[in-house]
Every structure is written in structure tokens, then in C-alpha cells.
Amino acid sequence: MNSLDPSVSALSVWLALESPTHHTPGVNGMMDLVAGEVEGLPIAVERIPGRNGLGDSLILRAGLATGEPAIAVMSHLDTVHPVGTSAHDLPVRVEGDRLYGPGVYDMKGGAWLALQAFKQVALAGSAKRPLVFLFTPDEEIGSPTTRGLIEDIGRTSAAVLVTEPAREGGKIVTARKGVGRFEVRLEGRPAHSGARHADGRSAIREAAHQILAIEAMTDYARGVTTTVALMGGGTAANVIPQHAWFSVDLRVASAADGVALESQILALSPRDPDVRISVTGGMNRPPYEKSPEGAALFETARAIAAGIGFDLQDCAMTGGGSDGNFTAALGVPTLDGLGIDGEGAHTLSEYGLISSIAPRQALIKGLLETV
Ligand SMILES: [Zn+2]
């Protein structure tokens, strides 16, 4: 494999078009590339205009129009890398088996190879069900404008295939933790820190107590983690701070823990009765637990992979959320991590393994023809 490999040159065009979530022209340009690629094929294209300043979504439909539950593929085309990343820090390039570029691993590589499989099956007419492919613009910020669309397609599907990156040497994902996001705001009473110290009620001191209490909710045995990763407050070094704020990231392994921890965090009460606390937020992505139906779908994928010549494994429940959380929580059998193998998601050393493109494309093709 080298840079003359047709897959590599075609995927490199996608990588060269930078599409961070908030750069709408880039994200919409990616949707144009997909729409252009299926022109003239037996694939219907529906484009849904973006909302809240974010990019458009694209739905491709093919296969039997029987009205029975579809098999759906889902890919996001936004990345976390700002415009200019490919010009400086992460140029699109091939080094041995590695294809580098912004978003190659998370998840343009997976979106691209799944689209090739989708096109092959649509052209051959070899699917047993209706086929749907959803491309979204906003996964990297929690899918605020596309969750409804993802769930609508999930509800009418027999199975959902998500092309997030493969894990640890090609493993796929069959369970993910749920994710909650909160913002805590505290308001105390300002005072001169020298002349009137006793009159002040420090919002930052109260925040310190609350942060320790929240971090103490972490319970590795139950798969619960809490992280305060952003904070701020105060106005000057000699003023008892009136205001403080911090963010909370929550991860849970079970839906029950999602409910319990969410209400615990929303109900935080101040230690100092003169400080007010307000908490906003909640669970964003529900946990994606491995159901018997999901396990059966994984066994189907395993058998298809064995026929292609590789041993497909799944990884232990991962802490990162994806759009697969939304469909799995509806009870729809969902396989995730079907995308390209590689490493370095969200970093400047992100790459995909060129040798993983063909077998994973064949796996998705097999799933589209089997399920
Ligand atoms: Zn992703």
C-alpha cells in the first residue's frame, strides 16, 4: 500500500477538507463530497439544513423499500481539529501503513470505508432490508441538533452500525458508558479581603468543598467517574470572591446510576448557608449497555469477519460516548467502533492504518447484506 492506492487518495481528499464542528462551510463541504459521490447511483439523497449555526445532515437511502425495519449506518463528519491543522501540525501524509490527517481515525476513515460498502451493496441490490446512512455534523459537541434524527432513524431500524474508530488492534465497541454534563454556579458575598474579611462569603471556598464532594462520587468498581475539569471565579486578588463556577463530567455504566448520580449532582446544597448554588445540566448520552440482541449482532459480525479472514473481538465497556449511545438506549441492537483502525483520536498524531480499510469495508458490506 502506498499513496497511489486509490482508497488512500480518495480518503485523502476528505481529510484535506477540514471540518471542525463549528466551521459550517467545512462540514457542509463534507456533505457535498458524500452527495457528489453517490450521484447517479441507486441511492436517494435527503439533505436536512443545519440548525443553530451548525452544518447540515445527510441521509442516504437504498435497498428494498418494503417498509420493514432498516439497517442503518451512522457517521459524523465533524472533527475536533481547528482549520489550519493540516497546514501546520497534522499534514495529510502517508508513512508506511499509516495515513495521517485531521479526523482520519475519528472518524472520516470509518465514514469513508462504510460509504464504499454502502455503495457496493446499493449497486448490487444485495441487501435484505432497506438501507439508511446518516451523516451528522455535530457529534464532537454531543450531537445537540441531531439527537432527534438519530433516534428517529434508530427507532425504525433493526440494527445500527456506527463507524467510530476501532479500538486496541481492531476491536469493535458493544458497550459505552453514559455521559452527563453539568455546570455549577456559586454566588457568595464580596468584601475587601483586608478590611472586611469577616463580612465576605467566598464562592470559591464553597466551590472547593463542592468539588471535593463531587470528585468523591467516583466509584471505579461501579464504573462511575466524576471530573471537575474547568473552573473559574473571583475578580481580584484582594476581594472575597462573590462568584465561582465549575463544570462536571459524569460517566456511568448503568442507566440506574445515571438517574441516581444526576439527581445527586442537581441537588448539591451549600455548606455555607450564605452561599447560593445553582446547578444546570444532566445526562447527555445514556449508557449503551450490551443487550442480548446486541450480543447476537456481534456474533453475526464475528462470523462475517471470520469469513473475510480476521478474528473480530469487542472491547470492555469504553468510557467515551458516541451517537451509538442514543440508539442502544432505545433497545436497538447497535455495533460501534466499526471504523478504521489506528490511534491518536483528538491529537496531532492521529492516524489510520491503511491495511485496515479493506477488511473493515468488507465487514460492513457483509453486515449490510446479512442482517
Ligand atoms: Zn468520533
Side-chain angles (χ1 to χ4, degrees):
M1 293 272 183
N2 56 52
S3 56
L4 298 175
D5 179 82
S7 299
V8 172
S9 13
L11 176 51
S12 297
V13 174
W14 282 30
L15 303 180
L17 181 58
E18 296 183 297
S19 56
T21 315
H22 291 286
H23 181 57
T24 310
V27 175
N28 285 345
M30 287 302 303
M31 300 296 167
D32 294 340
L33 283 178
V34 173
E37 220 181 285
V38 302
E39 231 173 62
L41 299 179
I43 295 175
V45 180
E46 180 186 357
R47 187 152 180 156
I48 296 161
R51 290 187 289 125
N52 305 351
L54 297 170
D56 300 343
S57 298
L58 205 67
I59 304 175
L60 309 183
R61 290 192 176 84
L64 305 174
T66 54
E68 64 182 317
I71 172 160
V73 188
M74 296 190 181
S75 300
H76 66 83
L77 293 178
D78 59 324
T79 76
V80 299
H81 299 287
V83 171
T85 302
S86 67
H88 301 106
D89 302 315
L90 183 50
V92 179
R93 66 194 191 277
V94 173
E95 287 177 16
D97 190 31
R98 296 178 176 187
L99 172 59
Y100 285 87
V104 61
Y105 180 55
D106 186 9
M107 59 145 82
K108 288 185 181 178
W112 185 86
L113 67 86
L115 178 61
Q116 308 316 308
F118 190 90
K119 283 161 56 182
Q120 287 176 304
V121 176
L123 259 178
S126 49
K128 292 188 183 148
R129 300 177 169 277
L131 302 179
V132 180
F133 201 141
L134 171 66
F135 292 90
T136 56
D138 60 351
E139 193 275 342
E140 294 292 1
I141 59 167
S143 310
T145 67
T146 54
R147 178 175 182 169
L149 194 55
I150 290 161
E151 290 178 334
D152 286 347
I153 290 176
R155 274 189 207 97
T156 54
S157 297
V160 172
L161 311 177
V162 184
T163 66
E164 290 287 357
R167 303 303 163 96
E168 302 155 22
K171 290 180 183 169
I172 67 168
V173 174
T174 51
R176 290 180 181 273
K177 286 187 180 180
V179 185
R181 284 285 155 74
F182 304 85
E183 184 149 297
V184 180
R185 299 196 163 271
L186 304 100
E187 182 171 6
R189 191 192 300 154
H192 191 293
S193 63
R196 313 282 292 181
H197 191 277
D199 294 344
R201 298 291 183 270
S202 169
I204 287 182
R205 186 180 55 189
E206 181 63 37
H209 288 300
Q210 298 297 335
I211 289 169
L212 289 177
I214 287 167
E215 293 268 346
M217 294 173 190
T218 291
D219 182 345
Y220 294 126
R222 260 161 72 210
V224 174
T225 61
T226 50
T227 307
V228 175
L230 291 170
M231 62 178 296
T235 51
N238 59 354
V239 180
I240 307 278
Q242 182 180 4
H243 297 285
W245 64 270
F246 58 88
S247 69
V248 181
D249 175 283
L250 167 68
R251 309 275 160 154
V252 292
S254 73
D257 274 338
V259 172
L261 271 291
E262 181 185 69
S263 56
Q264 222 178 319
I265 292 169
L266 289 174
L268 288 175
S269 69
R271 246 170 93 124
D272 179 341
D274 292 333
V275 178
R276 287 191 301 138
I277 295 184
S278 68
V279 187
T280 54
M283 287 299 295
N284 169 258
R285 290 190 167 108
Y288 161 6
E289 298 174 75
K290 191 174 186 177
S291 64
E293 296 76 17
L297 183 58
F298 172 66
E299 287 311 320
T300 302
R302 240 176 103 74
I304 294 168
I308 297 165
F310 67 100
D311 178 29
L312 187 69
Q313 311 233 337
D314 63 345
C315 58
M317 181 177 243
T318 165
S322 90
D323 289 335
N325 289 57
F326 295 135
T327 58
L330 295 172
V332 185
T334 300
L335 292 184
D336 199 345
L338 288 164
I340 197 167
D341 196 5
E343 220 170 317
H346 299 195
T347 75
L348 296 175
S349 52
E350 176 173 6
Y351 67 85
L353 290 173
I354 295 166
S355 58
S356 75
I357 294 175
R360 298 184 86 83
Q361 182 177 324
L363 173 60
I364 292 180
K365 177 171 179 283
L367 281 163
L368 292 176
E369 291 174 329
T370 309
V371 174

